Amino acid sequence: MTTPDPAGGADLHLELPAEGPRRTALTRALRDAVRSGRLAGGTRLPPYRTLAADLGLARNAVADAYAELVAEGWFTARQGSGTRVAERAATTAVRAGAPGPSPSAPRHDLLQGKPDPASFPRSAWAASARRALTAAPTEAFGPGDPQGRPELRQALADYLSRARGVRTTPANIVICSGFANGLHLLASVRPRDWAVEAYGLPFHHGILETSGVRAHPIPVDEDGAGTTELPSRARTLLLTPAHQFPTGGRLLPARRAAAVEWARSTGGVIVEDDYDGEFRYDRKPVGAVQGLAPEHVVYAGSLSKSLSPAIRLGWLVLPDHLVDRVLAAKGLRESWASALDQLALADFITCDAYDRHVRRMRKRYRQRRDQLLSALSAQAPHLRVTGISAGLHAVLELPPNHEAPALAAARAAGLALDGLSTYHHPAAPPPSREGLVIGYAALPDAAFGRALDALSEVIRRVTA
Amino acid sequence: MTTPDPAGGADLHLELPAEGPRRTALTRALRDAVRSGRLAGGTRLPPYRTLAADLGLARNAVADAYAELVAEGWFTARQGSGTRVAERAATTAVRAGAPGPSPSAPRHDLLQGKPDPASFPRSAWAASARRALTAAPTEAFGPGDPQGRPELRQALADYLSRARGVRTTPANIVICSGFANGLHLLASVRPRDWAVEAYGLPFHHGILETSGVRAHPIPVDEDGAGTTELPSRARTLLLTPAHQFPTGGRLLPARRAAAVEWARSTGGVIVEDDYDGEFRYDRKPVGAVQGLAPEHVVYAGSLSKSLSPAIRLGWLVLPDHLVDRVLAAKGLRESWASALDQLALADFITCDAYDRHVRRMRKRYRQRRDQLLSALSAQAPHLRVTGISAGLHAVLELPPNHEAPALAAARAAGLALDGLSTYHHPAAPPPSREGLVIGYAALPDAAFGRALDALSEVIRRVTA
C-alpha cells in the first residue's frame, strides 16, 4: 500500500462571486460546502496548485484559505496526505442542519475526547445546583468577578492539592470556560515563542497560531515530550505530562525535572495541560508537574473529560506574576463562565460528589479499555496498543503506509475516528509513526460492542 | 465653574523596568496601579505629554497605553476632561483583592447596568434547572453545538416573537454568552466600517476598536439616533432603538424606517441591541426593529438586565446570510455558553417563569424610578430627567460645566455613578449635553433610600 497520490483529492466545484476579495470568498465557499454537507467529513481537498489553477487564484490564496479553515476546525492538515474535511466538522454540520441521525453521519463514533454523556450525574448535580442557589450570597447574582467565584476557587485549591498534588491558593486560580479559553488567555500574555509537543490537538495548535504564537515542536516518544533539549527561543512550554496527548506516554521523572530546570534557569513558563489526569488505571494518578515549581508552571484543567463538556468550566492555576496579566487579558466585564455553574461545582466538589463521580468513571472507563484491548489483541495480536494506562482513548500503532488505508476503510465502515497524523504538528519533522486514535468512553454499551466489531473487521482487512 | 484644567490629573509615580518594550511596561504598570488600589476609581490621569515627559517616553506610547486600558475597561475617556480610572475597575479591583466592604469602596452604588440581584428567582430557577436536567437527552451532556441548544433556540424564537415582535425561526438564532460576545462575533464577520451612536457603552466601543472596526459616530437626540443621514462608508449600523443607551430616547418611527431603508438600499446590516427592551413603563414595549426587516437586522439580547448577568447567556437573531459566517467565527469547538444554563432557561421561558419575573421586576423598577423622580424633583425641580420611560437608569441633565463638579462631589460623598460624558464616543464631535447617569435598580430598599439622600445633597450643593 502506498501513500495516497498527493496530486489527488476531491473533485471540487466552487463558484466565487466576480467581485470582492477572492481569498475571503474562497474561505466562505469552502465553509459553506462543509456545512451544507457537500464536502463530507474525511474528504481530501485538492492540493493548493490544483484548486488555484481551477479558480484562477494565487496558490498562496488557497493555502491561506485552507490554513484559516484548519484553525477554525473545519479542516485538518495531515502530514503527508494533504488537507481533509474534519470528521467533527461534518458531524456538527449535519447535526446542526437536521436533528436526529442522518444517513451520512457515521454509525460508530470512536472519536477521542468525549466522556460518557449517559453517566452524567444528573441527580447529584441538580442537588448541588439547588443547594448552591439557596446558599449563594446576593452579590452572586450581580456582575461576576472575572477571576471566578471565591467558593469555587477555594474548592478547587483544596481538591487540586489533595487529588493532583497542585500547590496553590484561591488567589492564584482563574476560572475560565474551558482549556481552549485558558490557552487563548495565556497566548495573549506570554511572549511569542512557544515550545509545543510534536503531537497535540489541532484545535489548540490553531488557537496558538491565530493568537500569533510561533510554535516550536519538540519530539515525543513513549516517555512523553523530549524536554531535555528545548528550542532556545521558546519562553513557554506546553506539555501534557500525565498522559501525552494523544500518543499516551507519561513524562519521565527526569524529563519533568529537566522541564522545571529549564523554566527556572530561563525564566520560562510551563503550561501543564492536565486534560485527563484523573483517569489513571495502573497506579496512583501521576501528580502534577506544577507541584514541583508553582512559580514556573501554569496548571490547567477543566470539566470536559472528568464530568462533561456541556458545563463550560475550566481553571488556570497561575504563578503569582501571571495572575494580574491573565485577569487583564480576560477583561473586567466578561466573566464568561456561568456563576451558577461555578457555585454548583463548588458544592459538587465540597460534598465529595466529584470524587465519587471520578471513581465511578475510572472503573467504567478501565472496563471499556479492557474490552477494547481484548478485541484488538484477538484481531491483531502483532500490533501494539499504547497510551492505555490512562485516559479515555488508546492508540493502535500501525505499520508504515497503513494509516491512510485504515482510515479510508474505517470511513467506509461508518466508523468515525482519527489517525495519529491528525494530531501531528504541521511544523514538526515528518512523523515516523502511524496509528489510529480510538476513543472508548462515550458510546453506550451495545453501540460500543458494535463499534468494536466494525473496528476489528477494518483492522483485519487492512492488516491482512 | 469651569472645566477642569486639562493639564491637571493625578500625580503619578510609576517605575518601568529598564529593559523590554516600554509601552507594554507602561500599560502593565498602570493596570497594576489600578488593581492594587493605588489609583482609585474616578482618578484623573495625567495628560499624555506630562506622563510622557516624566517617563522619557514618546507621547504616542502613552496615548496607546491609555487607549488599550480604555478598551479593557480599566480607564474611561471623558470628552473634555481627559482619561480617568473607571469606577467599576476600582470597585472590582478592591473586591477581588479583599472580600467584604472596604473603606475605599463607594458607599452608594448608583452605577447603571445592573438589575436587582436580590430579586433573582432562586426557587423558580432551581426548579427549571432540575426539570431540565431530568428531561435532557443524553447528547446534551456531550460536546455542545456552537449554535446553542435547540430547546433554547425554540423557546427564544417563540418568546421573542410574542414579546418583542421579532420574526425568526430557531435556525436563525445563535446562542452566545452575552451581548459583548455577540458583538465580538459580529465585528469579525462584518466589513470594517460601522456607524455607531454617539453615545454608548465604552466597553462596546472598546470591543469594536480591538476588533479592527472603524467607528463612525452618528448624532443622538431625545428621539434616538439620527439615522436619516448615515456615513456613506458604513455597512453596519449599531443601534439601541427601544431605549437609546444611555440617553434614553426611543427611536422615532420615521428614523426606524430610515434605518431599514438604508439597510435595504445599501445591503447594510442593522445590529439592534435590545438590552432592556422588556422594561418599558409608559406603554406597551416598543417592538423590535428586526420585525420590520428580518433579512437586514441582527437582533441581540441577553439575560444581563432581565434576569442576571451571572448567567452568561445571550442570543443573536441573524439574517439567513449571516448564520453560517457567525457560526464559523464562533468556532466549531467552543460552545462558550453552559448547556445546563441553556436547558434551564429554555424550561424557565417555556413554563412562563420568565414572563412572570419580567412583570414582577417591571413593577419594582417602575416604583424605583418614581422614587428617584420624586427625590430629584424635590431637590432640583428645574433640572430635566430623561430616559425615564424604560430601563434601569435615568439621566439627570445638568447645565454646562456642571457635570465634572457634580461627579467630584458625588465621589466625595461616596456615590458611585457616571457622567454622560463617560458614554460619549471619543470620535464623535464634542458633546453639548452634560448629565448624570443614575442606575436605580440594584440596591436594596434601605440602601437606595440612603443613596437618594446622598445624591440629593450632592445635587443641592452643585446646583446651588
Side-chain angles (χ1 to χ4, degrees), chain A residues 117 156 252 271 431 456:
Chain A
L156 281 170
L252 269 190
V271 177
S456 299

Side-chain angles (χ1 to χ4, degrees), chain A residues 229-439:
Chain A
E229 270 186 71
L230 290 170
S232 60
R233 279 184 171 172
R235 289 292 166 272
T236 309
L237 168 59
L238 177 60
L239 289 180
T240 49
H243 188 223
Q244 203 286 324
F245 181 85
T247 63
R250 170 177 173 248
L251 193 64
L252 269 190
R255 294 187 181 181
R256 300 180 151 233
V260 167
E261 178 48 35
W262 164 85
R264 284 209 174 106
S265 62
T266 63
V269 166
I270 299 167
V271 177
E272 177 172 25
D273 176 6
D274 196 37
Y275 67 102
D276 66 3
E278 271 117 347
F279 298 119
R280 186 108 210 142
Y281 309 126
D282 57 348
R283 69 198 90 186
K284 298 285 275 180
V286 181
V289 172
Q290 193 271 358
L292 304 176
E295 267 313 294
H296 298 281
V297 181
V298 176
Y299 172 91
S302 84
L303 291 186
S304 296
K305 308 287 180 292
S306 61
L307 188 57
S308 165
I311 308 177
R312 305 304 306 153
L313 285 179
W315 40 89
L316 298 176
V317 178
L318 295 160
D320 289 335
H321 67 101
L322 284 178
V323 174
D324 282 359
R325 300 188 60 200
V326 166
L327 283 177
K330 202 161 189 275
L332 277 172
R333 301 286 295 279
E334 273 310 308
S335 158
W336 300 103
S338 160
L340 303 193
D341 282 349
Q342 292 186 57
L343 291 167
L345 178 59
D347 181 276
F348 195 76
I349 293 172
T350 310
C351 76
D352 283 334
Y354 188 70
D355 284 78
R356 279 195 298 277
H357 180 72
V358 166
R359 277 198 301 274
R360 183 164 72 96
M361 298 318 292
R362 195 184 290 136
K363 194 173 156 203
R364 175 175 173 80
Y365 295 147
R366 184 167 41 206
Q367 286 166 349
R368 278 296 177 86
R369 180 204 62 167
D370 294 344
Q371 215 180 328
L372 171 70
L373 291 177
S374 7
L376 293 176
S377 79
Q379 199 53 252
H382 56 295
L383 296 182
R384 245 169 46 114
V385 187
T386 59
I388 56 174
S389 50
L392 315 180
H393 72 272
V395 175
L396 174 70
E397 299 196 343
L398 291 173
N401 299 328
H402 277 63
E403 183 177 310
L407 287 171
R411 268 194 300 279
L415 272 161
L417 45 65
D418 287 315
L420 257 190
S421 56
T422 297
Y423 301 96
H424 189 257
H425 197 287
S432 54
R433 316 157 72 159
E434 298 194 11
L436 299 180
V437 180
I438 305 165

